[in-house]
């Protein structure tokens, strides 16, 4: 890992300063974790903050105690009501059921097979599961399989860390971040980890001050919606319009 950090720092001076500020990478993939658990946890975390997602997962795993985590076959026999009581939306319940079915059918590879497949092949296989897109599979590649060259360009934290570390005025487009990130290959997973740390460093006031920002395409900001008129003002406007027509 230290050799990889030195190689990444040699390719990009901003990354070099970020590595120096954040310290050694502590990423430790759980390579033997069942894919069902990794992907089920990722589904639970979609569009939620980490604390809320972990509460839901705690109630979910409690349904199947004393098992540490439910088996796919056990989920297929569980009614919707207990899953709803855990906090899952109907959409996430459908995604979890489809995941369980596809794990049982062998569509989702087991751990030994995953280790034999290339990144792209894994993305193609697992994105066939309802509710699972490339981002979810990228999290599996990083945090379970320990693949070294994954850059999740749609991840908000990675994009925000890039914005902060490189002094951009807005968020980069996924395509722009992917193009810029070519310089980090074959250490793009490591770069992503340090971009996540950039957000933490910015919060604590320890992020190195960016120099000249690179020229990358930024996402267009949405125009602000005009403030709604108070109800009383809207009523007066309608009354005035009716009086004018009369």
């Amino acid at each position: 890992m230290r050799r990889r950090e030195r190689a990444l720092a040699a390719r990009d001076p901003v990354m070099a300063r970020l590595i120096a500020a954040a310290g050694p990478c502590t990423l430790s993939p759980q390579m033997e974790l069942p894919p069902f658990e990794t992907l089920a946890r990722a589904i639970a975390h979609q569009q939620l903050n980490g604390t809320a997602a972990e509460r839901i997962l705690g109630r979910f795993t409690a349904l199947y105690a004393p098992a540490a985590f439910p088996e796919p076959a056990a989920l297929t026999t569980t009614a919707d009501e207990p899953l709803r009581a855990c906090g899952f939306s109907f959409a996430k319940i459908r995604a979890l059921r489809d995941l369980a079915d596809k794990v049982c059918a062998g569509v989702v590879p087991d751990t030994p097979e995953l280790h034999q497949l290339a990144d792209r092949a894994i993305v193609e296989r697992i994105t066939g599961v309802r509710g699972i897109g490339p981002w979810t599979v990228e999290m599996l590649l990083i945090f379970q399989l320990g693949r070294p060259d994954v850059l999740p360009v749609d991840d908000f934290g990675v994009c925000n860390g890039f914005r902060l570390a490189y002094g951009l005025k807005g968020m980069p487009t996924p395509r722009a971040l992917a193009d810029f990130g070519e310089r980090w290959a074959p250490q793009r997973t490591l770069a992503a980890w340090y971009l996540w740390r950039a957000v933490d460093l910015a919060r604590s006031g320890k992020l190195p001050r960016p120099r000249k920002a690179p020229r990358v395409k930024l996402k267009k900001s949405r125009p602000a919606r005009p403030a709604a008129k108070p109800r009383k003002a809207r009523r007066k406007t309608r009354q005035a319009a009716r009086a004018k027509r009369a």
Side-chain angles (χ1 to χ4, degrees):
M1 186 67 76
R2 304 292 83 82
R3 287 196 298 271
R4 291 171 56 194
E5 289 166 6
R6 289 193 293 271
L8 180 60
R11 289 173 175 267
D12 186 335
V14 175
M15 276 290 165
R17 294 193 296 273
L18 193 51
I19 291 168
C25 176
T26 57
L27 180 63
S28 181
Q30 296 176 295
M31 294 191 177
E32 298 309 315
L33 199 66
F36 175 72
E37 180 173 347
T38 301
L39 295 169
R41 289 183 177 277
I43 289 171
H45 278 264
Q46 288 172 355
Q47 299 176 326
L48 288 177
N49 66 55
T51 302
E54 287 301 321
R55 286 200 196 101
I56 292 171
L57 283 166
R59 293 190 287 267
F60 176 55
T61 55
L63 291 177
Y64 304 91
F69 200 83
E71 293 293 329
L75 177 61
T76 62
T77 61
T78 304
D80 283 356
E81 289 76 12
L83 298 175
R84 284 287 292 154
C86 292
F88 288 117
S89 66
F90 283 116
K92 288 190 177 182
I93 291 172
R94 289 192 292 270
L96 288 169
R97 291 195 185 286
D98 193 47
L99 170 63
D101 290 341
K102 285 186 168 62
V103 168
C104 292
V107 176
V108 175
D110 59 17
T111 300
E113 186 180 1
L114 280 173
H115 285 298
Q116 301 300 317
L117 294 173
D119 293 357
R120 183 172 295 181
I122 294 172
V123 172
E124 290 175 355
R125 288 272 292 271
I126 299 181
T127 50
V129 177
R130 183 189 189 103
I132 291 184
W135 175 86
T136 303
V137 186
E138 288 164 349
M139 296 304 102
L140 178 143
L141 291 171
I142 292 172
F143 293 105
Q144 179 179 342
L145 300 181
R147 296 297 170 89
D149 200 29
V150 180
L151 181 61
V153 296
D154 291 308
D155 183 90
F156 178 82
V158 168
C159 292
N160 196 33
F162 183 72
R163 177 185 70 84
L164 294 166
Y166 288 81
L168 303 180
K169 293 182 179 180
M171 298 287 268
T173 65
R175 181 71 263 169
L177 180 54
D179 290 342
F180 189 93
E182 291 288 344
R183 70 193 62 194
W184 303 326
Q187 312 295 347
R188 281 176 282 195
T189 297
L190 192 60
W193 191 87
Y194 278 106
L195 292 176
W196 280 317
R197 301 290 75 75
V199 178
D200 300 332
L201 289 169
R203 288 174 183 156
S204 62
K206 297 178 181 179
L207 182 67
R209 181 172 295 181
R211 298 176 183 174
K212 185 178 179 180
R215 296 182 64 181
V216 298
K217 188 175 182 179
L218 305 180
K219 292 181 179 178
K220 293 181 179 178
S221 58
R222 295 180 180 178
R225 292 183 177 181
K229 291 182 180 180
R231 184 177 297 177
K232 188 174 181 180
R234 294 199 300 269
R235 189 183 303 119
K236 287 183 176 180
T237 301
R238 289 195 296 268
Q239 290 172 347
R242 285 196 294 268
K244 186 175 181 181
R245 288 196 297 271

